[in-house]
Amino acid sequence: MEVFFQQLINGVTLGSIYGLIAIGYTMVFGIIGMVNFSHGDVFMVSTFIALIALMILTTWLGVGSILIALMIVLIVAMVFTSLVSWTIERVAYRPLRGSFRLAPLISAIGMSIVLSNFVQVAQGPRNKAIDPILNNVFVLSAAGGYQVTLSYKQIVIVVVTAALLAVFWWVVAKTPLGRAQRACEQDRKMAALLGVDVDRTISITFVMGAALAAVAGTLYLVYYGVVNFSDGFTPGVKAFTAAVLGGIGSLPGAVLGGLLIGLIEVFWSAYFSVEYKDVAAFSILAIVLIFMPQGILGRPDVEKV
């Protein structure tokens, strides 16, 4: 049981990171019906922005408090990552919004390749590492010679994910911006006729998704301590899988899907084979979609006549 509880903690931590990335996918798809395949690489860019900001603060400026440094890093990463995503939306997606459905998808794949190759050229292909931070742990159990531990950074990741989910759910459900987003999700043309600035609403949605990806990127850097230019593909695909599993268009569904993917991946690695952990996650997705095509918390599509 000690191994089970330790893997449960690890799975919830990993799933929280996936859930933060998945919210960006589900928000964009919910409004414009497009899979933003560059979102995973936006997440990867945010990890490098966080890495560079952390190095500047701790090495060059000599900031001694790691908590203050992390808060500044988080803000910097959110601002610059949001700027990157806003630029991508203006340059690569908005001109193609009225085109055939595959055009934005092809553009998204192209932007993903551009971001990945740019970071590879600018930062090099090698792993970039930082010194371990927030490594203090609570020992929850030590029965049978096996310690069940909960680290400070795992607590931070779970708490930040829960807080941001609550904040963004409130924004979407209770604010004028959220009403505009829900109106665009239902019918963009009618929303525009009723005075909603559709272009502005979509741009803000991309910025919100990128800000969450930046938080996920900073937490990913803190948790693993190593980043690479190729880190956008696998977490991005798994986060999109989480969004589909939880129900595309549902914010709680995105986080729930992320938690499930993280738990499946961790438990499969612990009890079966590490090599097949991705196979297990995608197999569960396929099984769920066979019986629940809209996802766990998704709403069934309504035919417009």
Side-chain angles (χ1 to χ4, degrees):
M1 290 303 294
E2 285 76 17
V3 175
F4 173 84
F5 284 118
Q6 184 63 66
Q7 299 310 320
L8 179 64
I9 293 171
N10 296 340
V12 170
T13 305
L14 179 60
S16 298
I17 296 175
Y18 288 156
L20 286 176
I21 309 172
I23 292 176
Y25 278 109
T26 201
M27 291 180 71
V28 171
F29 187 89
I31 289 183
I32 64 178
M34 185 197 81
V35 180
N36 181 17
F37 277 116
S38 67
H39 189 63
D41 288 282
V42 170
F43 157 78
M44 178 271 298
V45 169
S46 75
T47 64
F48 277 89
I49 293 174
L51 173 68
I52 293 170
L54 184 62
M55 291 301 171
I56 291 174
L57 288 171
T58 56
T59 303
W60 291 2
L61 300 182
V63 176
S65 173
I66 193 63
L67 292 179
I68 294 176
L70 285 178
M71 290 297 297
I72 297 174
V73 165
L74 190 60
I75 294 171
V76 170
M78 292 175 70
V79 170
F80 281 94
T81 307
S82 298
L83 181 61
V84 169
S85 186
W86 179 82
T87 304
I88 291 172
E89 192 275 331
R90 290 296 300 267
V91 173
Y93 299 153
R94 185 177 296 186
L96 300 175
R97 198 169 293 155
S99 182
F100 65 102
R101 291 182 63 87
L102 285 180
L105 181 64
I106 295 170
S107 180
I109 295 173
M111 286 307 307
S112 174
I113 296 171
V114 167
L115 290 175
S116 178
N117 287 353
F118 171 77
V119 174
Q120 181 183 11
V121 171
Q123 294 295 319
R126 291 186 175 183
N127 292 339
K128 306 292 183 181
I130 62 171
D131 294 330
I133 54 178
L134 298 180
N135 271 349
N136 296 336
V137 298
F138 298 103
V139 178
L140 304 181
S141 172
Y146 184 91
Q147 289 188 340
V148 179
T149 61
L150 177 65
S151 67
Y152 286 173
K153 54 188 172 186
Q154 288 176 319
I155 296 174
V156 168
I157 290 171
V158 174
V159 169
V160 168
T161 300
L164 287 177
L165 172 62
V167 169
F168 274 71
W169 178 86
W170 178 81
V171 168
V172 172
K174 303 294 184 181
T175 65
L177 172 61
R179 286 194 291 272
Q181 289 175 322
R182 285 181 278 123
C184 293
E185 178 183 1
Q186 293 181 7
D187 193 323
R188 275 183 283 161
K189 290 184 179 180
M190 183 58 68
L193 290 174
L194 294 175
V196 175
D197 190 336
V198 175
D199 288 340
R200 175 176 171 271
T201 302
I202 293 175
S203 292
I204 293 176
T205 303
F206 271 85
V207 168
M208 292 170 65
L212 285 173
V215 175
T218 304
L219 297 177
Y220 182 91
L221 175 67
V222 171
Y223 190 55
Y224 289 105
V226 178
V227 295
N228 187 276
F229 78 95
S230 61
D231 282 344
F233 178 75
T234 301
V237 170
K238 290 181 180 178
F240 176 67
T241 303
V244 175
L245 179 62
I248 201 79
S250 170
L251 300 188
V255 176
L256 176 61
L259 291 174
L260 289 175
I261 294 295
L263 289 170
I264 292 168
E265 184 176 326
V266 168
F267 277 117
W268 191 275
S269 300
Y271 290 106
F272 299 101
S273 173
V274 176
E275 289 80 5
Y276 292 98
K277 63 180 182 180
D278 296 337
V279 175
F282 290 114
S283 298
I284 296 296
L285 171 68
I287 294 171
V288 170
L289 292 182
I290 288 173
F291 297 100
M292 303 174 67
Q294 74 275 12
I296 297 174
L297 299 182
R299 294 168 295 180
D301 290 334
V302 178
E303 289 289 337
K304 297 177 182 178
V305 296

